[in-house]
Amino acid sequence: MKPGMVPPPLGEESQIVVLPPGWQSYLSPQGRRYYVNTATNETTWERPGSSPGIPASPGPHRSSLPPTVNGYHVAGTPAHPPETAHMSVRKSTGDSQNLGSSSPSKKHSKENTITINCVTFPHPDTMPEQQLLKPTEWSYCDYFWADKKDPQGNGTVAGFELLLQKQLKGKQMQKEMSEFIRERIKIEEEYAKNLAKLSQNSLAAQEEGSLGEAWAQVKKSLADEAEVHLKFSAKLHSEVEKPLMNFRENFKKDMKKCDHHIADLRKQLVSRYAAVEKARKALTERQRDLEMKTQQLEIKLSNKTEEDIKKARRKSTQAGDDLMRCVDLYNQAQSKWFEEMVTTTLELERLEVERVEMIRQHLCQYTQLRHETDMFNQSTVEPVDQLLRKVDPAKDRELWVREHKTGNIRPVDMEI
């Protein structure tokens, strides 16, 4: 009702006056009668003139309400088109008007709003682009409020479900990375085992001299290399694989907590939205019944008494009160869901950043261990290089001759 408009005088509703064409009377939940022009959707507290040429009361009140964002009627609050994945929502900083306003006006036009998952968004044609909560970042809290069309065309997926799918995919990738490191460890262990076994092989063990000494060092270097790879596999397990698995388990618990919390709030929101719609229908039925009885009394088509009218009015008022209570509960659930949605999306964002950073650090640890392994492997062949440079065929021949000579007397020709 516009400022300065006063309620109708007591007893006005009992006056027998036929309404002009296109006008209907209703009763607000507080028991106050108002009138609606079905052609223009205008409402007024004052009874329109019944005779031709008498204009309706001045100062009609339009029935449309301010656009809503997540159930809050916020004048001037913009929003992205809900059919895109880049939906963002900002909570109202001022007083919000309830979903089912009890003022003498019809429900806001469906053309001005869109309801997604029991949450009301402004229609994209009615509002400019919504300001972001974190405008300088591609933050989860700004882009996952609406639904996204399934690429296969099998319906839509809620924005929060997309976030959960992203996190679950990240958890799966982390599991597969752990399995990859586990396979790498197995390869290292098997490689070390084979190197140690080969180092004990007796092939060419009879080689002597400086070449034999170098050959023995070659075999010993295999045993040293096997030990290096065993240590590498042990460090991979303790410093890379195990931390990845432990983080995955904690990540899984955090994900489940976020998922269940938002799911419970969503169920509560859906339940209370349904209660609002049920109460709204009940109020409409009560008002229709009251209107019918009142019109019958006004044109004397029924023997209904004033007591019947009062009874119907009390039922209509009660239905209005029930609607207001349901709306209050819905708005409470809506407010809680909004706050938790922002908090939870930021928490999922934090978990994803933490996951990526943790994996990066442990992969860096993997490369560092790999470099160290290469360095130690190189150290195992350095003694081999040194001995190979000292191999001297002349010296080997001398050493062999000294050990195995049979005498230095040469044969001579016999004389007859």
Side-chain angles (χ1 to χ4, degrees):
M1 186 173 65
K2 288 191 175 183
M5 188 176 293
V6 297
L10 294 176
E12 181 191 67
E13 56 268 36
S14 63
Q15 298 175 7
I16 303 176
V17 179
V18 179
L19 295 174
W23 286 89
Q24 292 185 4
S25 65
Y26 296 93
L27 203 66
S28 74
Q30 290 77 21
R32 297 175 62 187
R33 182 169 301 282
Y34 61 95
Y35 302 88
V36 178
N37 188 314
T38 57
T40 63
N41 287 330
E42 297 178 356
T43 60
T44 178
W45 288 117
E46 300 180 10
R47 183 189 298 273
S50 58
S51 302
I54 301 179
S57 301
H61 179 63
R62 284 284 178 181
S63 62
S64 60
L65 297 177
T68 61
V69 176
N70 284 351
Y72 297 94
H73 293 284
V74 185
T77 303
H80 279 295
E83 58 268 15
T84 67
H86 304 291
M87 171 65 71
S88 59
V89 181
R90 179 180 58 190
K91 189 176 180 181
S92 171
T93 57
D95 295 335
S96 59
Q97 190 174 359
N98 286 336
L99 181 66
S101 173
S102 61
S103 62
S105 60
K106 291 181 64 177
K107 290 190 297 184
H108 55 278
S109 173
K110 291 184 179 180
E111 288 76 10
N112 292 333
T113 58
I114 294 179
T115 300
I116 302 174
N117 296 330
C118 298
V119 182
T120 306
F121 295 93
H123 193 280
D125 296 336
T126 64
M127 304 300 293
E129 186 172 332
Q130 167 71 8
Q131 293 182 3
L132 302 181
L133 293 171
K134 299 175 72 174
T136 59
E137 306 175 28
W138 287 91
S139 178
Y140 289 175
C141 64
D142 282 319
Y143 297 99
F144 293 93
W145 293 91
D147 294 357
K148 185 175 182 179
K149 291 184 178 179
D150 191 323
Q152 284 75 30
N154 299 324
T156 58
V157 181
F160 187 76
E161 288 299 323
L162 285 174
L163 281 181
L164 291 181
Q165 291 175 11
K166 162 66 176 173
Q167 302 302 94
L168 292 174
K169 183 179 178 181
K171 185 181 69 173
Q172 179 63 24
M173 293 302 100
Q174 191 165 330
K175 177 184 177 182
E176 294 178 6
M177 289 179 184
S178 300
E179 292 174 351
F180 177 89
I181 299 299
R182 176 68 255 174
E183 290 300 316
R184 184 72 170 89
I185 292 173
K186 289 181 180 180
I187 292 173
E188 288 296 319
E189 291 174 344
E190 188 68 20
Y191 183 55
K193 179 181 177 180
N194 290 334
L195 285 178
K197 182 179 179 180
L198 184 60
S199 70
Q200 301 298 323
N201 195 294
S202 60
L203 292 175
Q206 302 301 318
E207 181 64 51
E208 300 174 341
S210 59
L211 179 59
E213 188 177 355
W215 175 246
Q217 186 61 44
V218 169
K219 294 169 66 178
K220 182 179 181 302
S221 70
L222 295 182
D224 294 338
E225 187 177 355
E227 184 178 357
V228 169
H229 284 277
L230 277 177
K231 291 180 179 180
F232 177 49
S233 65
K235 287 186 176 182
L236 279 181
H237 173 69
S238 61
E239 299 180 19
V240 180
E241 182 200 16
K242 190 174 180 180
L244 283 176
M245 293 300 295
N246 291 339
F247 183 84
R248 177 178 175 271
E249 291 302 318
N250 295 331
F251 185 83
K252 184 178 180 180
K253 293 177 183 178
D254 291 336
M255 279 289 301
K256 185 177 294 185
K257 180 174 62 177
C258 293
D259 186 8
H260 289 177
H261 185 50
I262 289 295
D264 291 343
L265 289 176
R266 172 63 70 187
K267 289 179 181 178
Q268 184 183 67
L269 185 63
V270 170
S271 175
R272 291 183 174 175
Y273 182 85
V276 168
E277 292 304 307
K278 182 178 179 180
R280 196 192 305 278
K281 291 179 180 178
L283 175 60
T284 301
E285 292 175 0
R286 294 297 184 185
Q287 287 181 334
R288 186 181 298 113
D289 180 62
L290 177 60
E291 178 188 2
M292 180 182 65
K293 291 180 179 179
T294 302
Q295 290 180 349
Q296 289 175 348
L297 180 64
E298 289 176 346
I299 61 178
K300 296 182 178 180
L301 293 179
S302 174
N303 294 325
K304 297 293 183 181
T305 64
E306 186 68 23
E307 187 63 30
D308 294 329
I309 300 298
K310 291 180 180 179
K311 183 178 179 180
R313 183 179 301 154
R314 284 194 299 269
K315 290 183 178 180
S316 178
T317 301
Q318 180 62 46
D321 293 340
D322 291 342
L323 174 59
M324 293 177 67
R325 281 192 294 270
C326 290
V327 168
D328 287 340
L329 290 175
Y330 170 84
N331 284 339
Q332 291 173 18
Q334 176 85 325
S335 177
K336 181 65 175 176
W337 178 84
F338 180 91
E339 294 172 359
E340 292 300 323
M341 179 69 174
V342 173
T343 302
T344 304
T345 53
L346 291 176
E347 176 64 12
L348 292 178
E349 184 177 293
R350 183 192 67 80
L351 288 174
E352 176 65 6
V353 171
E354 183 178 346
R355 183 189 72 88
V356 172
E357 179 60 23
M358 189 278 300
I359 293 177
R360 186 194 69 81
Q361 291 178 2
H362 285 86
L363 290 181
C364 286
Q365 180 65 12
Y366 166 81
T367 59
Q368 178 64 27
L369 291 174
R370 187 70 178 80
H371 289 318
E372 291 177 359
T373 301
D374 291 342
M375 181 182 66
F376 288 129
N377 281 337
Q378 181 64 31
S379 68
T380 62
V381 298
E382 287 177 358
V384 178
D385 290 337
Q386 294 174 4
L387 288 175
L388 288 175
R389 284 193 293 269
K390 293 180 180 180
V391 171
D392 185 352
K395 184 178 180 181
D396 287 355
R397 184 176 68 253
E398 177 186 348
L399 292 173
W400 188 87
V401 169
R402 284 183 179 182
E403 184 175 350
H404 299 91
K405 66 181 179 178
T406 59
N408 57 358
I409 298 176
R410 291 172 294 178
V412 297
D413 293 336
M414 294 181 62
E415 295 180 359
I416 300 177

